[in-house]
Amino acid sequence: MLAEPKLKILNELVHQLSKEELIWVNGFLSGLVAEPIVATNTTIHKKFTIAYGTETGNAKKLATDFVAKAKKKGIPVKLVGLDQYKLADLSKEEYFITVISTQGDGEPPIAAQKFYDHIHLNGFKLPQLKYGVLALGDTAYPLFCKTGEDVDKQLAHLGGQRITHLQKCDLDYEETAHHWFDGIISQLNQQEIPAPKPIAPVPAKKPAGKVYYDAVVQTNINLTAEGSAKKIYHIELVAETVPFLPGDSIGIVPENDVLVVDEILAMHAIDGAKVINWKNENASIRDLFLHKINISYLLDKSVQHYASVAGYEIPAGKADLLSLLKKYPLKNGDQLLQVVEGLTQIVPRIYNIASSPTAHEGEIHITVLRDVFSKDEKEQTGLCTWFLENKKEGDTLRFFIQTNNRYRLPAPEKDIIMIGPGTGIAPFRSFVAERDATGASGRNWLFFSEEKFTTDFLYQTEWQSWFETDTLTDVSLYFKEGSTDVSGLPEKIIQKGNKLFEWLQNGAFLYLCGEKEPAGRLIEEALLKVFEQATGSETNAKAYFETLKKENRFAKDLY
Ligand SMILES: Cc1cc2nc3c(=O)[nH]c(=O)nc-3n(C[C@H](O)[C@H](O)[C@H](O)COP(=O)(O)O)c2cc1C
């Protein structure tokens, strides 16, 4: 029964309504009290939502397939993009499946940023929520499926209950993802949704589905001059029909040294043509050793697997396969095959494209720092450095395009500010060459730093010529000239703060590229200082930075 005051209001309203309006209200009220039926053949009376966070469409496609599958099983479900999702609805959800990719440097897709920030506010609880997270990613990235991991963890932190484990998927996500979703459907179909029942996790599978291209190396030169402490290679590939945009990168899977591979096989009297199955792929062992299996700087888990096969105590740490074989010999070829089972794949190395599709038609250029480190008091280089520095004119190279839709030139009339210390300059050569070739009217400002002006100013003559022809409006340089201080470029940014802020207020787009530590971090701190000076407080500065990001006017690519 209604209390007197409410009854009065209802009577007043009812008396004002026409017959049609009364019929409508009747339906409306029945709808409010009826429990939604979610499955026709079960006793589930629950709200079921599938929400996707995507950048390039994979998560959306998968979520759409899931919805179609659920509907076929008689389970009505709501599909929604996280960009459209009403955050207030989260506390009303019961079954909530999130399909979300990781972008940038372990970041959420732009379209999912609001949702991601909202759940990390921590100011509320979601005790009613039963959820599952499917994370899309790429094992080539160090922060594999980071966003999915964060969302899964945070929903639990807010009091949500997992109905299934977090499933991380690599680029060939289809099979793994559907297997995971089938598990959820079968749980739902078993009505009343029993206590969460774990479904055996399917390990993320090796990258697949990428389009690989073979290109001929047309140039491989060292950009630094005599007297430089560094070698930085400029490599040009002939790549006639490869579609890409300024801001994209390429992925290169380096190959192992054929001499080392043949020595390993000969040590164990193994015929290189012998076909084995390794991580679901049948191929000759020599081919696998050359192109797929990582044999340099093995992960500690591979070293410990070696130790258990060979029966030695081997101290923790990274090591080459060949040095291990020499120091801790195996008994025979069978043991080598067992060792191989514990080895991991060679991971692709990603390089920003330094050329413009318009200015350097049919070519792809990259800028590669020779990364050197010392091991056992000897100077060593990384596998891909070694692989690339030995590439001569006429050699071929296999690569794939890594598109980066978060790193794009704005409309031609917009201004851009580019901060690229060291090899971070690469995408900006692509940007400015493209704007020059297409006659874009926006202004272009470059910040760059390196060791020495005389030896290490990368692509110096090109920047000079762009400056002389007004394509490059402004250039701010810092050279360490022997100092070990790394704060030079950040300080330069602070010095130029007023002008930089003016450009941004005028609608400029800001880009940062280069090494994450320490350069990238210090530059972001310097930018915050600039914003603080301009806006009057740290809080305003942070808000200003956030707005730039939300408007897609700040993009970073740090490694
Ligand atoms: C520029 C860029 C950055 C990426 N960064 C990561 C990353 O940090 N970690 C990861 O696991 N995957 C990363 N990926 C891979 C994507 O998550 C993967 O391609 C996914 O399938 C994309 O799904 P979507 O189309 O729904 O966005 C990145 C992809 C691109 C293009």
Side-chain angles (χ1 to χ4, degrees):
M1 275 302 286
L2 280 182
E4 195 54 38
K6 288 182 183 163
L7 194 61
K8 196 168 161 241
I9 297 171
L10 184 64
N11 272 327
E12 273 170 19
L13 177 69
V14 166
H15 285 108
Q16 290 168 27
L17 298 179
S18 67
K19 193 173 167 202
E20 287 73 17
E21 283 170 332
L22 278 173
I23 293 170
W24 182 89
V25 169
N26 181 34
F28 174 76
L29 293 176
S30 328
L32 279 186
V33 290
E35 281 210 291
I37 296 171
V38 171
T40 50
N41 54 347
T42 73
T43 55
I44 307 164
H45 303 289
K46 304 293 178 191
K47 199 164 139 64
F48 184 22
T49 301
I50 299 183
Y52 58 85
T54 189
E55 186 90 25
T56 54
N58 294 344
K60 181 177 181 183
K61 163 89 178 52
L62 209 44
T64 312
D65 291 350
F66 287 172
V67 167
K69 196 173 226 179
K71 285 189 173 160
K72 255 196 198 152
K73 302 267 178 191
I75 304 176
V77 49
K78 189 173 121 197
L79 175 71
V80 61
L82 284 173
D83 51 339
Q84 303 291 322
Y85 187 70
K86 277 207 242 124
L87 298 170
D89 283 355
L90 197 53
S91 56
K92 300 176 212 148
E93 299 288 357
E94 286 173 275
Y95 288 88
F96 187 71
I97 302 299
T98 316
V99 183
I100 191 162
S101 69
T102 298
Q103 293 293 323
D105 183 20
E107 290 150 37
I110 293 167
Q113 186 73 52
K114 252 203 224 142
F115 171 83
Y116 182 90
D117 293 345
H118 175 73
I119 61 169
H120 282 86
L121 285 177
N122 276 331
F124 55 98
K125 286 279 167 204
L126 298 169
Q128 83 302 341
L129 191 78
K130 298 190 177 56
Y131 73 94
V133 179
L134 185 99
L136 292 187
D138 180 346
T139 40
Y141 286 89
L143 296 174
F144 176 54
C145 289
K146 166 88 168 40
T147 302
E149 278 179 356
D150 290 350
V151 171
D152 177 68
K153 217 188 282 163
Q154 186 60 14
L155 291 179
H157 183 72
L158 296 175
Q161 198 184 8
R162 282 185 194 91
I163 51 170
T164 185
H165 65 278
L166 164 72
Q167 179 65 60
K168 298 198 248 177
C169 296
D170 208 331
L171 291 179
D172 57 346
Y173 49 80
E174 289 277 348
E175 198 187 322
T176 313
H178 278 279
H179 177 81
W180 178 85
F181 189 68
D182 290 346
I184 293 175
I185 294 277
S186 73
Q187 277 203 33
L188 289 173
N189 271 336
Q190 280 161 28
Q191 103 7 86
E192 270 323 357
I193 317 233
K197 194 154 97 203
I199 303 159
V202 179
K205 289 165 90 205
K206 67 184 170 60
K210 289 184 176 121
V211 179
Y212 282 86
Y213 301 95
D214 287 312
V216 175
V217 176
Q218 81 176 0
T219 305
N220 189 355
I221 52 162
N222 177 18
L223 286 178
T224 61
E226 187 80 28
S228 168
K230 296 180 169 182
K231 278 192 171 164
I232 298 177
Y233 300 104
H234 170 73
I235 299 175
E236 293 183 2
L237 308 172
V238 181
E240 297 287 353
T241 52
V242 182
F244 73 93
L245 289 171
D248 286 341
S249 298
I250 64 169
I252 294 176
V253 185
E255 289 163 23
N256 288 315
D257 186 347
V258 64
L259 296 176
V260 173
V261 168
D262 286 343
E263 186 175 348
I264 291 172
L265 295 175
M267 277 168 90
H268 301 88
I270 291 185
D271 176 2
K274 179 184 168 71
V275 172
I276 63 164
N277 182 283
W278 190 73
K279 306 210 191 283
N280 296 328
E281 183 173 349
N282 288 320
S284 80
I285 185 162
R286 187 167 184 273
D287 249 18
L288 288 169
F289 263 134
L290 280 176
H291 305 292
K292 294 281 157 89
I293 303 176
N294 178 39
I295 57 171
S296 51
Y297 317 111
L298 309 190
L299 298 179
D300 187 47
K301 70 171 187 191
S302 297
V303 175
Q304 293 317 314
H305 175 78
Y306 183 108
S308 71
V309 170
Y312 294 102
E313 288 255 328
I314 304 181
K318 292 187 162 194
D320 281 350
L321 181 61
L322 186 58
S323 6
L324 281 178
L325 291 166
K326 285 183 176 163
K327 205 160 169 193
Y328 307 100
L330 300 176
K331 290 196 187 69
N332 50 41
D334 282 350
Q335 277 199 334
L336 181 67
L337 294 179
Q338 287 173 45
V339 164
V340 163
E341 281 169 23
L343 299 180
T344 55
Q345 295 210 8
I346 300 174
V347 282
R349 311 312 199 252
I350 307 292
Y351 297 94
N352 293 102
I353 295 178
S355 52
S356 131
T358 312
H360 311 102
E361 205 185 333
E363 296 174 10
I364 286 179
H365 304 174
I366 51 172
T367 317
V368 181
L369 171 71
R370 179 176 198 266
D371 87 272
V372 188
F373 53 96
S374 69
K375 185 157 186 295
D376 302 332
E377 291 169 18
K378 276 191 281 176
E379 189 186 81
Q380 307 241 2
T381 60
L383 175 64
C384 207
T385 301
W386 166 85
F387 175 69
L388 288 174
E389 75 181 343
N390 285 297
K391 285 287 172 196
K392 310 262 174 310
E393 248 173 66
D395 286 351
T396 55
L397 193 65
R398 178 158 276 223
F399 69 92
F400 59 88
I401 295 289
Q402 180 76 63
T403 48
N404 189 353
N405 289 327
R406 298 159 78 94
Y407 218 82
R408 290 285 179 249
L409 277 167
E413 68 283 2
K414 296 282 180 195
D415 298 337
I416 61 172
I417 304 167
M418 303 158 281
I419 308 175
T423 50
I425 203 169
F428 305 138
R429 179 176 180 265
S430 168
F431 275 15
V432 176
E434 179 76 9
R435 293 195 120 195
D436 185 44
T438 53
S441 60
R443 295 178 297 171
N444 306 305
W445 181 1
L446 175 75
F447 283 87
F448 173 69
S449 70
E450 250 303 345
E451 296 287 329
K452 287 203 244 166
F453 175 78
T454 46
T455 58
D456 304 326
F457 188 175
L458 307 179
Y459 304 109
Q460 181 183 1
T461 52
E462 291 179 47
W463 294 114
Q464 267 168 349
S465 122
W466 283 323
F467 190 64
E468 280 155 18
T469 53
D470 279 342
T471 298
L472 189 62
T473 322
D474 205 340
V475 58
S476 301
L477 305 170
Y478 177 78
F479 291 93
K480 282 199 262 176
E481 304 291 351
S483 147
T484 51
D485 186 8
V486 289
S487 59
L489 191 62
E491 269 165 25
K492 188 116 221 166
I493 290 168
I494 294 171
Q495 279 166 24
K496 301 273 175 185
N498 287 344
K499 187 168 155 190
L500 191 143
F501 194 73
E502 224 177 86
W503 276 50
L504 289 174
Q505 287 298 84
N506 201 32
F509 284 62
L510 177 61
Y511 301 87
L512 170 60
C513 182
E515 283 182 2
K516 189 189 284 174
E517 281 296 337
R521 178 176 48 82
L522 294 175
I523 289 168
E524 285 197 72
E525 285 170 13
L527 288 169
L528 262 178
K529 277 208 184 112
V530 168
F531 302 155
E532 191 176 331
Q533 276 162 13
T535 61
S537 77
E538 199 186 325
T539 317
N540 289 345
K542 284 186 179 153
Y544 189 80
F545 216 164
E546 284 311 309
T547 308
L548 282 184
K549 289 176 194 168
K550 282 199 185 105
E551 291 174 354
N552 295 330
R553 288 203 292 131
F554 173 69
K556 64 177 174 180
D557 189 352
L558 299 176
Y559 36 82

